[in-house]
Amino acid sequence: MGVYYFNHQSSIINHQSIMKSSITVIILFFSSLFVPILAQENSTVEKRVYTTQFLNQTEAPTIDGILNDKSWDIVDWTSDYIENEPDENTPPTEQTKFKIVYDKNFLYFAFKCYDKDPKGIIKRLSRRDGFEGDWVEVNIDSYNDKRTGFSFTISASGVKGDEFISDNGNNWDGSWNPIWYVKTNVDEEGWTAELKIPFSQLKFGASKEQVWGLQSSRRYFRAEERSVWQRVKRDAPGWVSEFGELRGLVDIQPQKQLEIQPFVVTQLDTYPKEEGNPFRDGSDAKITGGLDAKIGITNDLTLDLTINPDFGQVDADPGAIALDGFQIFFQERRPFFVENKNIFNYQFADGQDNLFYSRRIGRSPQGYPTTSGGENVDIPTNSTILGAAKFSGKTKNGWSIGVLESVTDKELAKIDDGTGRREALVELLTNYIVGRAQKDFNNRNSYFGGIFTATNRNLQGDQLNYLRKSAYTAGFDFMHNWKNRKYYILGNVVASQVNGSKEAIAITQRELTHLFQRVDAGHVEVDENRTSLTGTGGKLEIGKNSVGNWRYYGFFSWRSPELELNDIGFLRQADDIKQIGILTYQTLKPVGYFRKINARFEQFTTYDFDGNHNRTQNSLSSNVNLKNNWYLNYQLIHKPKIFTNTVLQGGPRFRYSEEVINSFNVSTDSRKKIRFDAGLVVSQGKDNSFSYTEFSTGFAYQPINAFTISMYPNYTINKSKTQYVAQTNFGATPRYIMADIDQRTLSAAIRMDYCINPNLTIQYYGEPFISRGKYKDFNRVTNPVAKYYGDRIEVFNSNQIAFDTTNDQYDVDEDANGSTDYSIRNPDFTYVQFRSNLVLRWEYIPGSEVFLVWSQGTTGLGNPKDDLFRSLDSQILGRKPENIFLIKATYRFLL
């Protein structure tokens, strides 16, 4: 879905309708409070135990999905699954049972999923980790740390799913792709599955007898029902901490994993030829290769190596426009950096701010060469990663350890003036280091940890001297649970230091993240002689996490003005102090027409380090799952106070009018062959100073089990009478220019998936994205913190501003004396983008794949006077696109 960002929170509903909206959400909220509350059990749930047996001289079972091997006879079945959703602690519609055996190298599972109507079993196909149709799953906490686990899911159609579980079930990472084996079969009693999991794909310490956490879940598709082997109460504090136990694993030896996965990529790029530009002759071809490797230092700790890591993705990054100037956060997709990312994660406050943002490694070059007219330039798209190594894992003593080292090469731009070529440095040789550790204690109810990161650039004389030479961050975090994890407290502290030339540090002080040049800031100012900055940040949070219908938490966080993380982390804005309180309510049993009801109240305030109260926000939301498996979501947000230090990008603090946002979303039953989603966001600034409307809808259609098509269009209207445009000067006096903007954005995410079999799939992803912004009623800021928006600005009249068509700019004669005082470039824009990927993926043996990829895209700047559909026709349908054709082959050696 296309995304854009603007420098205020906006919406489109008039204030006469606020009372009706408020009454609606209050009814939804309090109806959930007065539903019958069933008596809660005070006793804890008894832990179940399954004892497995060693195969010894017995031949290992053949993995064919048919449970007729004699090896299964050495152990007993375990059954008595209990319903978990929607009606927790009741008998499920159909029962399930399993057995577990093992030998020196493998753990084997046999599942029997009973079904009175075998013809009704849903065998939908999908790519790996699709989780479609009927499935059964096993979760293994081989660390036995009550927080992390390995999940293996198998659908009735034979599709695998595997995830690494962390944060006690709050995070499921589907990027983990171990090698394991499975087959399924449908018979007259239901369906069966056999699994074979190598011990090398699990992590556990050396001991005489292992005790692992164990859980199994089943999805009974027709009733959208989940049943579990070990009961987990709906008000439990988490998932992994509630597992039963697997015993009987005696004298199994931790196996040091050794995997080597080389790959080769052949690529052909085609694009419109540019006459006179030798770098754009119509096509380019290249062959590249790389290597990923895993070396088990111990069974707990793994060394990952990569040379020239490759992006292996179907979805492209979404289209985006950032009118507020802030950087846009994109998800990591490279396998090397995605795997075990939970160990390196360090979100220290709230939102996306993190000490480690792996997409900094291999980023686009930050420099641009100095050129003269008529010269053509070829700049690398990304910095070359010469190599990277990652040492990570968790020991039996509760230590989570992660160390990452990566080096990116210097990058040179090629410049051609028609008579010869020269090169110019656009990125420096850079070394990145991340170290992370955490230690569990107090029976796995508590942990403490730390992180350290370092970025060092190889400066070469005065070249690119505006980049920081080095950047360091360090942090400490902790968490403690008590009363059977009913209550918790967590916190962290971070510190940063960046070093560089006077020019580099002066630029840092003026960046949008910091804005030390703000004219009204009494606590910061630009110091042109500084060569370093040191800042701090952190959070303290406490709350109730389980037992009963109610949960709550609150936290306090801060980011000092000098905090800087963006060399290898992600920080949107420094100079911020925040307080937040959240109260939630959830039903524990189906009630009337509802399978589940969740309600949430949230309140927060923010300040800066100058003591300014910048924002107050209150929100009330309700999430309802109906008996027919439809979902309804509603949210009301009220912002009585909105001040921003950043909208004038170095100018004074600016006030936005009081705002109210209403949002509503409905989605139909996701199990149906055809399903729909629709959403509406409307909000309004007081006195009609700004508004925002977003319409989203879409459908997914699955005519047969092997094929799905979906399209999700999105249309937004963003209007503001105080949209920042530029800063200039009237004589020696600064001027901050704003205008009335009308921005329309249209996008649509289109996907098609065809699964020939679980290991052979064809996927298509496409997204047109069009955004047009038109400006009028230009004005200058006069009183930026006035309560009424009209008192904050002064609109230029026709005698003060005129449009210069020759130079595409507005000339301003502020004092109306007949001469131009300053000019403003025409800010109108139309940005058009289309990206698509068509990927055939074949996993010809477990862990080894072949990809055939056709990627197509076009980007253009349309005429702002045209409507969105005319821009679609002229800039996407009417232009020759750029194409990438590639073949990627990998082979995974498991030694």
Side-chain angles (χ1 to χ4, degrees):
M1 181 182 297
V3 180
Y4 71 91
Y5 298 79
F6 47 94
N7 58 2
H8 59 76
Q9 305 297 321
S10 51
S11 39
I12 167 181
I13 152 178
N14 59 53
H15 281 270
Q16 286 78 14
S17 66
I18 293 175
M19 182 62 70
K20 293 181 181 179
S21 301
S22 301
I23 292 172
T24 302
V25 77
I26 289 171
I27 291 172
L28 276 171
F29 182 75
F30 282 99
S31 67
S32 67
L33 305 187
F34 290 101
V35 296
I37 300 175
L38 292 106
Q40 301 300 308
E41 299 177 41
N42 294 320
S43 60
T44 58
V45 176
E46 182 181 354
K47 293 288 185 182
R48 300 189 68 182
V49 176
Y50 185 84
T51 302
T52 182
Q53 294 288 336
F54 183 66
L55 286 173
N56 203 3
Q57 301 300 319
T58 308
E59 185 177 348
T62 301
I63 305 303
D64 56 10
I66 301 172
L67 311 182
N68 57 2
D69 302 274
K70 292 184 178 180
S71 51
W72 294 120
D73 296 337
I74 67 173
V75 291
D76 296 326
W77 291 102
T78 181
S79 187
D80 297 327
Y81 279 53
I82 194 77
E83 187 172 323
N84 183 259
E85 290 185 9
D87 195 1
E88 198 273 316
N89 199 29
T90 60
T93 302
E94 298 284 2
Q95 259 304 335
T96 311
K97 62 184 182 181
F98 67 82
K99 290 183 175 184
I100 307 173
V101 295
Y102 71 100
D103 57 24
K104 292 194 301 182
N105 299 313
F106 298 97
L107 190 64
Y108 303 88
F109 289 82
F111 284 95
K112 180 68 176 177
C113 303
Y114 289 97
D115 197 309
K116 298 181 182 67
D117 179 19
K119 292 182 179 180
I121 296 170
I122 305 301
K123 300 175 63 177
R124 289 184 181 173
L125 284 165
S126 69
R127 187 175 170 175
R128 188 169 183 157
D129 297 332
F131 307 107
E132 295 286 347
D134 283 281
W135 50 253
V136 68
E137 177 181 281
V138 60
N139 299 161
I140 301 171
D141 176 13
S142 55
Y143 291 125
N144 202 25
D145 64 2
K146 317 297 184 188
R147 290 197 297 125
T148 60
F150 303 94
S151 177
F152 302 87
T153 306
I154 181 63
S155 73
S157 60
V159 178
K160 292 180 182 178
D162 32 50
E163 298 168 291
F164 180 74
I165 312 168
S166 60
D167 195 18
N168 200 9
N170 289 320
N171 182 53
W172 296 66
D173 184 359
S175 64
W176 179 62
N177 288 318
I179 293 177
W180 55 294
Y181 310 88
V182 69
K183 287 291 182 181
T184 60
N185 182 63
V186 176
D187 57 30
E188 66 279 2
E189 292 184 311
W191 65 281
T192 56
E194 286 183 302
L195 286 69
K196 173 177 152 182
I197 302 172
F199 284 127
S200 62
Q201 304 298 291
L202 302 172
K203 307 297 179 186
F204 54 91
S207 61
K208 177 67 176 177
E209 180 178 359
Q210 302 284 333
V211 178
W212 293 355
L214 179 66
Q215 177 64 291
S216 177
S217 308
R218 178 183 174 184
R219 181 191 192 186
Y220 182 65
F221 186 84
R222 276 159 284 172
E224 190 57 303
E225 176 185 288
R226 304 291 195 277
S227 56
V228 293
W229 175 70
Q230 169 66 61
R231 183 191 171 196
V232 178
K233 296 167 64 174
R234 288 287 293 275
D235 61 347
W239 180 251
V240 183
S241 61
E242 310 308 298
F243 284 5
E245 291 183 350
L246 173 61
R247 294 180 177 269
L249 297 169
V250 179
D251 290 332
I252 61 172
Q253 298 300 315
Q255 298 179 19
K256 296 181 180 180
Q257 184 179 16
L258 177 57
E259 296 180 17
I260 300 174
Q261 188 174 43
F263 69 85
V264 61
V265 178
T266 62
Q267 180 173 327
L268 173 66
D269 299 351
T270 66
Y271 45 82
K273 182 178 180 180
E274 296 180 14
E275 294 297 331
N277 186 347
F279 301 121
R280 302 284 292 178
D281 61 3
S283 66
D284 297 307
K286 62 181 179 180
I287 299 177
T288 60
L291 177 73
D292 293 322
K294 295 179 182 295
I295 303 171
I297 305 304
T298 69
N299 193 59
D300 303 312
L301 302 171
T302 302
L303 177 64
D304 292 81
L305 304 172
T306 187
I307 299 173
N308 190 27
D310 178 60
F311 280 90
Q313 62 189 72
V314 172
D315 291 5
D317 291 326
I321 291 180
L323 292 185
D324 58 7
F326 284 105
Q327 60 185 320
I328 299 171
F329 183 93
F330 289 115
Q331 294 292 331
E332 177 62 85
R333 300 179 187 273
R334 293 168 292 183
F336 172 83
F337 293 104
V338 168
E339 189 169 3
N340 274 352
K341 65 183 179 182
N342 65 291
I343 290 179
F344 295 90
N345 181 57
Y346 197 99
Q347 285 183 279
F348 70 94
D350 65 322
Q352 296 165 328
D353 292 347
N354 204 309
L355 265 65
F356 180 47
Y357 178 46
S358 57
R359 286 191 67 149
R360 303 292 186 204
I361 302 175
R363 68 195 304 172
S364 298
Q366 301 174 81
Y368 194 88
T370 301
T371 60
S372 57
E375 292 185 324
N376 295 300
V377 181
D378 182 27
I379 300 179
T381 304
N382 296 97
S383 303
T384 301
I385 300 176
L386 297 176
K390 181 170 60 177
F391 179 70
S392 59
K394 187 164 188 175
T395 72
K396 66 176 182 179
N397 296 322
W399 279 102
S400 296
I401 298 171
V403 179
L404 184 145
E405 161 84 12
S406 182
V407 178
T408 58
D409 201 2
K410 68 178 182 180
E411 297 296 337
L412 300 171
K414 298 176 182 178
I415 306 167
D416 189 293
D417 61 5
T419 60
R421 292 187 180 184
R422 70 181 193 276
E423 293 181 332
L425 188 67
V426 291
E427 187 59 80
L428 300 168
L429 179 72
T430 307
N431 182 72
Y432 300 93
I433 297 175
V434 182
R436 181 76 164 106
Q438 276 188 343
K439 176 66 170 69
D440 298 337
F441 64 100
N442 187 27
N443 196 28
R444 311 291 185 175
N445 286 306
S446 309
Y447 71 75
F448 64 85
I451 189 172
F452 173 78
T453 75
T455 304
N456 288 280
R457 296 185 174 90
N458 183 25
L459 290 176
Q460 300 180 1
D462 292 332
Q463 296 188 78
L464 303 187
N465 203 34
Y466 52 83
L467 298 181
R468 293 184 285 267
K469 180 179 181 181
S470 61
Y472 306 100
T473 64
F476 169 80
D477 61 342
F478 71 92
M479 182 174 187
H480 173 61
N481 296 277
W482 69 95
K483 281 204 169 182
N484 292 321
R485 299 178 181 254
K486 180 178 180 180
Y487 301 102
Y488 73 94
I489 183 171
L490 62 82
N492 55 60
V493 178
V494 303
S496 70
Q497 183 181 69
V498 293
N499 306 285
S501 66
K502 293 179 180 180
E503 179 186 6
I505 300 304
I507 290 173
T508 302
Q509 293 175 76
R510 290 188 173 91
E511 287 176 347
L512 192 59
T513 302
H514 306 282
L515 297 175
F516 280 19
Q517 70 273 32
R518 278 175 42 215
V519 296
D520 62 341
H523 62 304
V524 291
E525 62 179 349
V526 176
D527 184 344
E528 303 283 357
N529 294 313
R530 296 191 67 170
T531 57
S532 67
L533 292 175
T534 302
T536 64
K539 178 173 78 170
L540 181 65
E541 178 179 327
I542 188 169
K544 175 179 178 283
N545 201 36
S546 67
V547 183
N549 303 84
W550 294 93
R551 301 188 185 195
Y552 51 81
Y553 70 90
F555 72 75
F556 164 83
S557 67
W558 80 96
R559 306 171 182 88
S560 76
E562 293 189 0
L563 184 68
E564 174 54 56
L565 307 178
N566 289 319
D567 290 274
I568 196 172
F570 189 93
L571 176 66
R572 180 176 169 87
Q573 185 178 355
D575 195 6
D576 178 74
I577 300 171
K578 186 174 186 177
Q579 164 273 323
I580 192 167
I582 294 176
L583 176 66
T584 66
Y585 175 89
Q586 64 176 0
T587 55
L588 304 180
K589 285 283 187 177
V591 177
Y593 294 103
F594 306 104
R595 287 167 61 104
K596 187 191 308 181
I597 300 174
N598 290 296
R600 174 186 176 105
F601 173 75
E602 178 177 335
Q603 171 274 331
F604 74 79
T605 56
T606 65
Y607 296 81
D608 62 29
F609 275 68
D610 206 17
N612 296 309
H613 180 184
N614 286 331
R615 176 166 297 197
T616 294
Q617 177 171 314
N618 305 296
S619 69
L620 195 61
S621 60
S622 181
N623 182 347
V624 175
N625 181 202
L626 302 176
K627 280 288 182 69
N628 62 2
N629 214 44
W630 284 38
Y631 281 87
L632 304 176
N633 301 280
Y634 179 77
Q635 185 175 37
L636 170 68
I637 302 175
H638 179 222
K639 303 177 184 179
K641 177 173 286 191
I642 312 171
F643 289 84
T644 171
N645 294 335
T646 61
V647 66
L648 298 182
Q649 300 189 16
R653 182 168 170 258
F654 189 83
R655 180 173 190 162
Y656 281 111
S657 300
E658 180 182 350
E659 180 183 13
V660 174
I661 303 174
N662 283 265
S663 66
F664 177 77
N665 181 265
V666 57
S667 57
T668 64
D669 189 345
S670 62
R671 298 171 299 156
K672 301 299 184 182
K673 290 286 187 178
I674 185 166
R675 51 254 191 203
F676 297 92
D677 290 272
L680 175 66
V681 178
V682 290
S683 98
Q684 173 97 31
K686 190 175 181 180
D687 302 315
N688 199 31
S689 58
F690 59 83
S691 65
Y692 175 72
T693 308
E694 179 176 355
F695 304 94
S696 59
T697 186
F699 74 93
Y701 178 48
Q702 191 168 12
I704 58 176
N705 285 335
F707 180 71
T708 304
I709 181 172
S710 66
M711 183 171 69
Y712 289 90
N714 181 274
Y715 179 63
T716 64
I717 304 171
N718 170 39
K719 295 183 177 182
S720 173
K721 295 180 179 178
T722 54
Q723 172 65 49
Y724 176 77
V725 176
Q727 178 183 347
T728 185
N729 290 293
F730 178 56
T733 306
R735 287 288 186 260
Y736 302 97
I737 307 302
M738 302 186 113
D740 186 329
I741 187 177
D742 183 346
Q743 181 188 8
R744 311 291 174 105
T745 301
L746 176 65
S747 65
I750 304 164
R751 289 180 172 86
M752 288 183 285
D753 297 284
Y754 179 57
C755 302
I756 300 169
N757 60 54
N759 299 315
L760 181 59
T761 59
I762 301 174
Q763 292 181 286
Y764 172 82
Y765 167 83
E767 186 205 28
F769 175 86
I770 312 169
S771 186
R772 186 200 67 186
K774 298 179 69 174
Y775 294 75
K776 65 178 183 178
D777 295 339
F778 289 82
N779 55 76
R780 66 182 181 91
V781 177
T782 55
N783 184 0
V785 295
K787 186 173 183 179
Y788 172 57
Y789 88 93
D791 294 334
R792 300 173 209 143
I793 58 174
E794 180 182 292
V795 179
F796 296 127
N797 61 43
S798 58
N799 296 323
Q800 293 176 297
I801 190 167
F803 184 63
D804 180 354
T805 56
T806 302
N807 296 308
D808 194 30
Q809 66 184 26
Y810 290 89
D811 295 328
V812 179
D813 178 11
E814 186 175 312
D815 54 11
N817 65 358
S819 63
T820 299
D821 296 312
Y822 47 85
S823 298
I824 307 164
R825 67 168 183 81
N826 181 7
D828 290 352
F829 66 88
T830 296
Y831 177 78
V832 184
Q833 182 183 77
F834 177 73
R835 295 179 180 179
S836 70
N837 279 342
L838 179 63
V839 179
L840 183 147
R841 171 189 173 271
W842 176 33
E843 188 175 4
Y844 56 95
I845 59 173
S848 300
E849 300 168 313
V850 172
F851 293 88
L852 304 180
V853 181
W854 174 25
S855 181
Q856 188 178 81
T858 182
T859 300
L861 300 175
N863 186 347
K865 296 180 180 179
D866 293 339
D867 61 36
L868 293 181
F869 291 98
R870 183 180 293 272
S871 295
L872 172 68
D873 178 63
S874 63
Q875 296 298 316
I876 295 180
L877 302 179
R879 293 186 61 186
K880 184 178 179 181
E882 299 188 4
N883 296 281
I884 300 174
F885 303 93
L886 66 83
I887 301 173
K888 177 182 177 182
T890 71
Y891 188 86
R892 194 170 182 179
F893 296 92
L894 181 60
L895 306 176

